Amino acid sequence: MSNYNIETKCVQGGYTPGNGEPRQIPIVQSTTFKYATSEDMGKLFDLEASGYFYTRLQNPTNDYVAAKIAEMEGGTAAMLTSSGQAANFYAIFNIANCGDHVVSCSTIYGGTYNLFAVTMKKMGIDFTFVSPDCTDEELEAAFQPNTKAVFGETIANPALTVLDIEKFANAAHKHGVPLVIDNTFATPVGCRPIEWGADIVTHSTTKYMDGHGAAVGGCIVDSGKFDWMAQAEKFPGLCTPDDSYHGITYAEKFGKEGAFITKCTAQLMRDFGSIQSPQNAFYLNLGLESLHVRMPKHCANGLAVAKFLQESDKIEWVTYADLPGDKYHEVAKKYCPNGTCGVVSFGVKGGRKAAEEFMKKLKLIAIETHVADARSCCLHPASATHRQMNDEELIACGITNNLVRLSCGLENAEDLINDLKQALE
């Protein structure tokens, strides 16, 4: 499908039925698979043959959908996970171990920040957080001899900063490490980070990819471009024999195109088991088939709402990169020329209490711990998704106590604006 446009990949990527086979991807709702001999199954456990033996590691339905997302992102291999959190954890833990270090953008989703700054720190992995607006010198200073990766979000949740992917990719590659980009908000319809130098791309497929609030999930895509063996001393997990798989060296056996995802599946998924259910993968695929149709509508609604809020005397500030004059407008035009997303962040005059009172008055737009689906919803991050952070950490993430994150769905823009208007009044 590499020669086709993104719209065609959304609809038909990942699965091509044979003669008389199902037109829609089949749901293989089975935990296990039958084999004629122990020798046949043994080849699978030794990674000498491809196939399936237990859904905790791999499942045909999941692999069809993962292959579609890989094609959409322009990668060589992909895997589904149970959530976006699992995807980001696996993507980093696949190459960073106890005693290692990672450079991360500071304006990332609160759950990911906590994963890095608290949970993975307890595992012995240190993170240095840098501003997305840092200078080249500040970014350079963040690297350490034991740095194993750089992490960022294309469009940060909920600060809506737009990352200069090329700048962070160049810095990562200068130090011989991969750039990992969470592309959840932009989706491959809006931006394909691999084309700008990213090496690994992650997604919370729960958001726009599913698009209907039906199924939690995540995905990891490998660009197939990072040369692990050229930096073998940095990545022993990929470049030295794995005793748990009879001494296989992933980078040698599966090459640049397959080593990362094979290790992530065979080792991390085997041990942690954060698999996406085949039923959820099926729902995800239904969402992917219309992603290219939905995203322009989300973006159009987002821009209309952002313009309304910008003109309101009850709103202190509005952040939306598609707005002319926004701090990230120019970088957004570079990386997301067809629109960023449908999420708008803004500050209600009067602080935290005013923001909370405003949200109580909304009738059409619901308060939800969710974002990026067909129905419009909003959230007060300081008291919800980023509640675990102190004031200093909130500011570092680009979050004020009056920030409201509004996800514009697929409703009529005039109806959304009228709901905001009556709530503000």
Side-chain angles (χ1 to χ4, degrees):
M1 296 289 289
S2 59
N3 295 327
Y4 290 98
N5 292 304
I6 186 67
E7 296 88 348
T8 304
K9 292 176 181 177
C10 285
V11 178
Q12 294 206 32
Y15 172 69
T16 303
N19 189 42
E21 293 182 345
R23 189 67 188 91
Q24 179 58 278
I25 64 168
I27 304 172
V28 182
Q29 194 65 47
S30 179
T31 60
T32 191
F33 301 83
K34 175 184 178 295
Y35 286 90
T37 69
S38 294
E39 289 79 10
D40 290 337
M41 185 170 284
K43 291 176 182 178
L44 299 176
F45 276 91
D46 289 344
L47 302 181
E48 295 293 338
S50 60
Y52 305 93
F53 53 87
Y54 198 54
T55 285
R56 190 181 78 229
L57 279 86
Q58 283 180 287
N59 178 280
T61 308
N62 292 21
D63 282 357
Y64 292 139
V65 182
K68 172 179 284 191
I69 296 173
E71 290 173 356
M72 292 166 62
E73 285 286 8
T76 57
M79 64 184 288
L80 298 187
T81 61
S82 59
S83 68
Q85 280 290 87
N88 284 333
F89 171 64
Y90 280 18
I92 297 299
F93 198 61
N94 203 37
I95 49 179
N97 301 307
C98 182
D100 289 336
H101 172 261
V102 176
V103 175
S104 174
C105 187
S106 60
T107 54
I108 56 176
Y109 169 60
T112 308
Y113 182 92
N114 197 72
L115 170 67
F116 291 169
V118 179
T119 303
M120 295 188 76
K121 184 176 178 62
K122 292 177 181 177
M123 301 170 73
I125 302 172
D126 286 327
F127 289 79
T128 296
F129 295 94
V130 298
S131 167
D133 306 322
C134 65
T135 64
D136 291 337
E137 292 74 21
E138 289 170 335
L139 182 54
E140 178 72 21
F143 286 86
Q144 300 177 10
N146 59 338
T147 299
K148 297 299 175 72
V150 178
F151 181 90
E153 294 177 357
T154 309
I155 303 170
N157 174 16
L160 299 185
T161 57
V162 182
L163 193 69
D164 187 343
I165 300 172
E166 281 192 312
K167 180 176 86 170
F168 279 75
N170 290 338
H173 297 158
K174 178 182 177 181
H175 289 269
V177 300
L179 173 63
V180 182
I181 290 290
D182 185 328
N183 197 34
T184 296
F185 269 18
T187 82
V189 171
C191 178
R192 286 176 286 283
I194 290 171
E195 296 176 0
W196 299 101
D199 302 289
I200 308 295
V201 175
T202 64
H203 285 276
S204 170
T205 63
T206 317
K207 310 304 189 298
Y208 285 121
M209 283 188 163
D210 172 310
H212 300 85
V216 175
C219 184
I220 307 172
V221 180
D222 183 10
S223 70
K225 296 180 179 180
F226 193 84
D227 191 347
W228 304 104
M229 290 303 292
Q231 308 291 336
E233 74 286 352
K234 285 182 177 290
F235 306 105
L238 285 159
C239 302
T240 59
D242 180 358
D243 293 337
S244 69
Y245 270 108
H246 308 290
I248 284 176
T249 300
Y250 296 100
E252 289 181 350
K253 186 172 181 63
F254 301 102
K256 291 189 296 184
E257 295 79 8
F260 185 89
I261 293 296
T262 301
K263 177 180 180 293
C264 208
T265 302
Q267 192 180 86
L268 300 190
M269 193 62 81
R270 173 198 64 189
D271 294 344
F272 290 103
S274 301
I275 194 72
Q276 188 169 147
S277 75
Q279 187 73 48
N280 278 11
F282 179 82
Y283 294 143
L284 168 58
N285 187 62
L286 293 179
L288 291 172
E289 289 179 353
S290 65
L291 183 63
H292 61 291
V293 179
R294 291 184 285 107
M295 286 308 296
K297 177 64 174 176
H298 283 295
C299 292
N301 278 355
L303 183 57
V305 164
K307 287 180 177 178
F308 161 76
L309 292 169
Q310 191 177 47
E311 296 170 358
S312 172
D313 60 2
K314 292 180 171 58
I315 299 299
E316 188 174 311
W317 53 267
V318 179
T319 297
Y320 187 67
D322 291 333
L323 272 178
D326 185 90
K327 181 179 181 179
Y328 296 97
H329 187 61
E330 292 304 315
V331 70
K333 286 200 298 185
K334 173 180 177 179
Y335 294 113
C336 304
N338 298 316
T340 53
C341 63
V343 182
V344 181
S345 289
F346 58 95
V348 181
K349 286 183 180 178
R352 179 190 291 260
K353 184 177 180 180
E356 292 175 341
E357 285 299 315
F358 154 73
M359 290 171 61
K360 289 178 184 177
K361 303 298 183 183
L362 292 167
K363 298 177 180 178
L364 179 65
I365 301 166
I367 300 174
E368 297 178 16
T369 311
H370 198 233
V371 68
D373 70 25
R375 290 163 295 274
S376 293
C377 60
C378 66
L379 190 75
H380 183 237
S383 58
T385 54
H386 293 65
R387 191 182 186 94
Q388 75 279 8
M389 295 183 180
N390 59 39
D391 289 344
E392 189 175 289
E393 290 171 332
L394 285 171
I395 294 300
C397 285
I399 297 169
T400 59
N401 64 10
N402 67 340
L403 185 153
V404 174
R405 183 190 70 186
L406 170 61
S407 175
C408 298
L410 302 178
E411 302 93 346
N412 181 278
E414 184 179 356
D415 292 333
L416 297 179
I417 290 170
N418 286 337
D419 192 32
L420 293 168
K421 187 183 298 184
Q422 65 83 23
L424 288 169
E425 289 172 354

